[in-house]
Amino acid sequence: MNGTIAWLFAVTFVIGAVGLLGLVAAIARRQFGAGGAHVPFLDHEEGWAEDPVATPRLQRVLGATPRSPDPAELRDRDACDRSSRGPVLAFVLSAVAWLAVGSIFGLVVSLKFQYPDWLTDQAWTTFGRLRPLHLDTVAYGWLSMAGMGVALWLLPRLLRTPLRGGRWATAGALFWNIGMLLGTGALASGWTDGLEWLEYPWQIDGFFVIGGSLAAVPMFLTLPHRKVDHLYVSALYIIGALVWFPILFVVANIPNLHFGVEHALVNWWFAHNVLGLWFTPLGLAAAYYLIPKIVGRPIYSYQLSLLGFWSLALFYSQVGVHHLIGGPVPGWVVTLSIVTSVSMVIPVFAVAVNHHLTVLGRFRALRHSPVLRFIVLGAMLYTAASFQGSMESLRSVNTLTHFTHYTVAHAHLGAYGFASIVFFGAIYFLMPRVTGVEWPWRPLVDVHFALIAVGFFVYFTTLTIGGLLQGQAMLDASRPFTDSVSAAAPWLWGRTAGGLLMTLGHLVFAVHVGALALRAARAPALSLTEEMT
Amino acid sequence: MSPADLPQGREGHEPAEAPRGVPLVVAGLVVVVAAWGAYTFATEIGPGMAPYGDRRTLAALQPPETPAGGGIDGGAVFAARCAACHQADGNGLPGTFPPLAGSEWVVGAPERTAAIVLTGLTGAIEVKGTSYASVMPTFRDQLTDGEIAAVLSHVRGSFGNAATPVPETLVAGVRATLEGHAPLQGQAELVQLYP
Ligand code: HEM
């Protein structure tokens, strides 16, 4: 029986991989007709680089000359941004507020490793309650809402037509926020479903299901009106994410359906897919859009984009069980997760090469474009987090790193280093566009970047080292367990220090976003469309 | 208002993808990963291979082979019944629980140790030059003769002790003699019963 399963897997896997190459070859031979890549920029047109926060030096450095924009294109773009204004602001502003709250939770949790007796008289301020509060606030409040906001802003631009039914998404943001408030209250009061990433009680999950589905309505309403004959790769990622997430969330949260070992499998299938099929595609959609936009060049290769997207779709949904390596689950599920985890190097490498070759030769832009700095750093850390994840799924590495702080460092490399940092960049880019108001204090953007870049570097390196020492101590049966605690303890100060810088950066960011929103509320936004209509 | 005043006016075209192919390195990587994956499936899942995620085989999950003679694992009985007091290394706890390692009683006449385990022990006993006056419970109803023989054989042959195993019949004999007997009153009564 096991032998049959093995061969089935081996054969399906090879067929999948060959199919992937076949798809790419077919596109190469233009068998997809008009759908193939179509290049609106010709070589001499490239080079108009933009960043709402950069100085005119950016353009000078890239050797580009300002060109007066085509009025028709400009009008369309302005119409797109205005159409998404309501839902984008609803999602982005909520996300930033949850980010501030979630980071403070994280910082307090981290301090508890240094001061275990601090804040222990109230049940809701103990570690066991604050840790899930941190995780769920940053995952569902910050990352998810920021991702949906960015996606809703990108959609009309990608489809070149105003967003239809934006109000559905605004209502979605309302439902989502109600879910967040209720969920936060529930966790604080000790009411939880008790599984990591699925903590919010299922009775409250309905708000997220409704909120998420409403957020996807404009996508379905707008797609039929698209004015492009070819979907840019960012659109693929957004469509994928908005379809995948509600399914994952509903399946994993159905009460009284999952039990025992199977429940653990569903738990980690879900938890990893939140990263891989929700945060990752939304983050990649933003990176794929903003990199070429800012450096003023087309993405290096259409086929690489497709290879990256389809191999992510093919492999990601099976990697989650690598969280249970060594656990009492069937061996073939673990092997399947290891093979697909390692296979993730294909989409990751494809995306990394594609982004790198797009920016290659224009890295000088980084010195002058703060937004690009966020996006490029985020994209690089995506590559790093993914390769690290593939390695961690190998049994030999996993025995050392499992159950240690190393895993937490890795989680932040993906969720923070990649997704959060890309969303920071995207929000800096989109806010002036949807509000028509410029950023009030540009130097604050650099302050934000410096704080989080330094903070995250300290956070990640110290926690990684601490985790490895902890793992070594735990593996050595001749050392008492407390050795593993004392080996990691000094390094946990690094997390607190780095996390403090990151949290300060988030507060700076939140103040800046708040100030921009206030100005936008006071001053009527600039708009071409309004003048013309 | 001039279009260039809008943030949108400072942007280039919407991004596109150049119609370039997949670089050879990437295609090569796909082939390598596919081959590695197929190889891993074929070698890691198959007849006779570990069916569980923690790599244990069905055989490893079977109860351990029963030791020859007696059929009971004395080490397991010791861990379950005695180690809480006499400690896993048999050294006891100073002042409270006497050591079994190197104890003259353990390696001495097996009837005496069998009697201690069967009836329990209270009152003064001197072990390795230190006097103890504490209470050890009876195991008369918890352990069978076979189990007592196995655990005594185990302590007599472990922790540096090197005395002969204790046969089950000997324990059965002591049990019959001390039927209903109260806990032994220290080493005085022990020596008196089994000189
Ligand atoms: C805003 C972006 C952030 C995101 C997306 C994020 C995400 C996460 C995730 C996914 C986990 C679960 C890790 C695991 O168990 O594998 C986690 C745990 C944690 N995070 Fe964050 N985090 C963020 C910011 C912070 C900050 C600023 C701090 C401050 C020090 C922090 C401190 C912690 C701590 C202490 C834990 C618990 C680790 C443990 O249980 O040992 N995080 N976070």
Side-chain angles (χ1 to χ4, degrees), chain A residues 99 106-107 109-110 131 134-135 138 196 411-412 415-416 459 495 499:
Chain A
L99 169 70
L107 190 58
V109 173
S110 184
R131 187 195 188 277
H134 163 64
L135 169 60
V138 293
E196 205 175 351
H412 285 81
Y416 194 87
Y459 186 114
R495 161 160 74 191

Side-chain angles (χ1 to χ4, degrees), chain A residues 185-474:
Chain A
L187 295 191
S189 68
W191 179 25
T192 163
D193 277 354
L195 290 167
E196 205 175 351
W197 292 94
L198 295 169
E199 289 98 343
Y200 291 146
W202 61 264
Q203 293 87 340
I204 294 173
D205 289 336
F207 286 97
F208 295 98
V209 176
I210 297 174
S213 311
L214 287 176
V217 168
M219 177 181 85
F220 289 109
L221 294 181
T222 311
L223 266 175
H225 299 277
R226 65 185 182 276
K227 298 223 181 68
V228 284
D229 50 5
H230 157 68
L231 285 180
Y232 182 66
V233 58
S234 294
L236 295 183
Y237 280 113
I238 291 176
I239 297 171
L242 290 179
V243 171
W244 289 325
F245 184 71
I247 300 177
L248 297 168
F249 194 80
V250 169
V251 171
N253 275 302
I254 295 178
N256 301 322
L257 175 67
H258 309 296
F259 294 100
V261 169
E262 180 264 351
H263 206 172
L265 289 170
V266 171
N267 183 184
W268 286 107
W269 165 80
F270 170 79
H272 207 93
N273 285 340
V274 173
L275 313 173
L277 296 178
W278 180 232
F279 301 151
T280 300
L282 293 176
L284 286 182
Y288 257 120
Y289 184 82
L290 290 170
I291 291 179
K293 190 72 151 177
I294 297 177
V295 302
R297 264 195 187 165
I299 278 291
Y300 174 77
S301 155
Y302 173 58
Q303 289 182 43
L304 268 182
S305 309
L306 280 188
L307 177 72
F309 175 78
W310 287 107
S311 50
L312 177 115
L314 182 69
F315 297 130
Y316 227 129
S317 73
Q318 297 131 56
V319 307
V321 183
H322 64 211
H323 289 265
L324 296 172
I325 296 174
V329 293
W332 62 266
V333 194
V334 174
T335 304
L336 176 66
S337 78
I338 295 178
V339 171
T340 47
S341 300
V342 172
S343 304
M344 281 303 295
V345 302
I346 296 174
V348 172
F349 198 59
V351 170
V353 168
N354 221 3
H355 286 173
H356 182 78
L357 292 180
T358 304
V359 189
L360 191 69
R362 295 210 160 174
F363 277 103
R364 283 159 307 160
L366 284 176
R367 299 234 319 265
H368 305 284
S369 164
V371 169
L372 189 64
R373 232 174 276 158
F374 279 102
I375 302 286
V376 166
L377 177 63
M380 279 162 45
L381 295 181
Y382 167 65
T383 312
S386 307
F387 280 136
Q388 190 190 25
S390 296
M391 289 299 113
E392 266 178 276
S393 74
L394 297 174
R395 286 177 190 274
S396 46
V397 181
N398 195 268
T399 25
L400 175 65
T401 62
H402 203 45
F403 298 128
T404 71
H405 300 297
Y406 186 93
T407 307
V408 181
H410 167 72
H412 285 81
L413 190 59
Y416 194 87
F418 161 52
S420 298
I421 293 185
V422 165
F423 291 150
F424 290 145
I427 290 174
Y428 278 123
F429 194 89
L430 68 84
M431 285 299 275
R433 286 166 169 74
V434 293
T435 59
V437 173
E438 302 288 352
W439 286 102
W441 306 294
R442 294 183 180 195
L444 276 193
V445 181
D446 292 324
V447 173
H448 176 199
F449 184 81
L451 283 170
I452 61 130
V454 174
F456 182 66
F457 178 78
V458 173
Y459 186 114
F460 179 77
T461 44
T462 51
L463 209 52
T464 300
I465 299 173
L468 290 174
L469 295 176
Q470 181 192 15
Q472 246 177 1
M474 283 205 288

Side-chain angles (χ1 to χ4, degrees), chain A residues 83-150:
Chain A
S83 69
S84 61
R85 177 184 163 123
V88 169
L89 284 181
F91 274 103
V92 169
L93 295 180
S94 318
V96 174
W98 289 115
L99 169 70
V101 177
S103 323
I104 290 171
F105 284 149
L107 190 58
V108 174
V109 173
S110 184
L111 275 164
K112 279 172 175 286
F113 285 79
Q114 282 89 46
Y115 304 103
D117 297 328
W118 178 55
L119 289 183
T120 45
D121 346 318
Q122 302 274 322
W124 81 271
T125 56
T126 53
F127 182 86
R129 302 236 176 130
L130 281 181
R131 187 195 188 277
L133 276 174
H134 163 64
L135 169 60
D136 289 348
T137 309
V138 293
Y140 299 113
W142 155 242
L143 285 176
S144 299
M145 296 197 85
M148 286 187 274
V150 171

